[in-house]
Amino acid sequence: DIAVAALTMTAEREEVLDYVTPYFDQTGITIVIRKPIPKTSLFKFMTVLKSEVWLSIVGALVITGIMIWLLDTYSPYSAQNNPQVYPPSTRIFTLKESIWFALTSFTPQGGGEAPKALSGRTLVAAYWLFVVLMLATFTANLAAFLTVERMQSPVQSLEQLARQSRINYTVVDNSN
């Protein structure tokens, strides 16, 4: 699991070992640790944000879908309430269509045809801003999460190594 020896870091050894910063480099003693076997999980991406944030995103999605439906249903300027102005192929925002629109707004393709009324368009524009911010936050947190995960080391100092009992260690006989 771990080696404490007069060992030099080389490119070939770095392919097999995860080197920590040498603690006593001036004396020739180096501590190396075996690369950990990464834990694989299908839902690892979900751990990037807290569950409260995920629930808030789902709540915002549902509330926005309901608001789009309400605005399209009761606005006198919507395609649903103003059929003489808009062609028959215009999208009518039922509750199902509104929630689907809010959900697909998280994809790069987008939600498709937006509401026609100014009130619905204003809500959708604010929601799209929310979506862009959430996607940027998720992407930044995912990058930081993956970077920090690779950099974590179970031992930070020689003293910490001596005090713990989880990692077995030894030294090379008759070495520095």
Side-chain angles (χ1 to χ4, degrees):
D1 286 342
I2 193 165
V4 179
L7 186 70
T8 37
M9 292 186 223
T10 63
E12 294 82 25
R13 289 179 180 160
E14 282 186 356
E15 290 178 11
V16 180
L17 298 171
D18 237 355
Y19 287 102
V20 294
T21 307
Y23 300 110
F24 299 103
D25 201 26
Q26 68 275 12
T27 61
I29 296 176
T30 306
I31 299 175
V32 293
I33 298 177
R34 182 186 306 152
K35 279 188 177 181
I37 299 169
K39 299 174 191 168
T40 56
S41 172
L42 189 59
F43 297 104
K44 193 170 191 173
F45 72 95
M46 296 288 285
T47 61
V48 173
L49 300 175
K50 291 185 177 183
S51 57
E52 294 87 3
V53 176
W54 286 115
L55 290 173
S56 298
I57 290 172
V58 169
L61 187 148
V62 170
I63 289 171
T64 302
I66 292 170
M67 289 297 297
I68 291 171
W69 170 67
L70 286 172
L71 291 173
D72 199 63
T73 301
Y74 294 110
S75 173
Y77 302 107
S78 68
Q80 184 173 333
N81 295 329
N82 215 353
Q84 65 277 14
V85 176
Y86 300 104
S89 61
T90 303
R91 186 178 193 179
I92 303 297
F93 284 90
T94 61
L95 182 59
K96 180 185 83 164
E97 278 291 313
S98 299
I99 292 177
W100 181 251
F101 177 84
L103 178 65
T104 56
S105 290
F106 272 97
T107 64
Q109 181 178 343
E113 187 179 355
K116 299 296 181 194
L118 180 62
S119 57
R121 286 177 180 246
T122 305
L123 174 66
V124 166
Y127 181 67
W128 283 342
L129 180 63
F130 167 77
V131 167
V132 166
L133 291 174
M134 284 297 103
L135 289 174
T137 301
F138 177 77
T139 304
N141 282 347
L142 181 63
F145 177 77
L146 293 174
T147 302
V148 168
E149 187 179 67
R150 280 190 332 190
M151 293 173 53
Q152 287 178 342
S153 175
V155 177
Q156 301 299 326
S157 69
L158 194 56
E159 291 79 22
Q160 186 182 11
L161 176 64
R163 279 185 268 140
Q164 60 84 37
S165 60
R166 188 171 42 96
I167 300 172
N168 295 327
Y169 60 92
T170 187
V171 294
V172 177
D173 198 23
N174 297 326
S175 69
N176 291 340

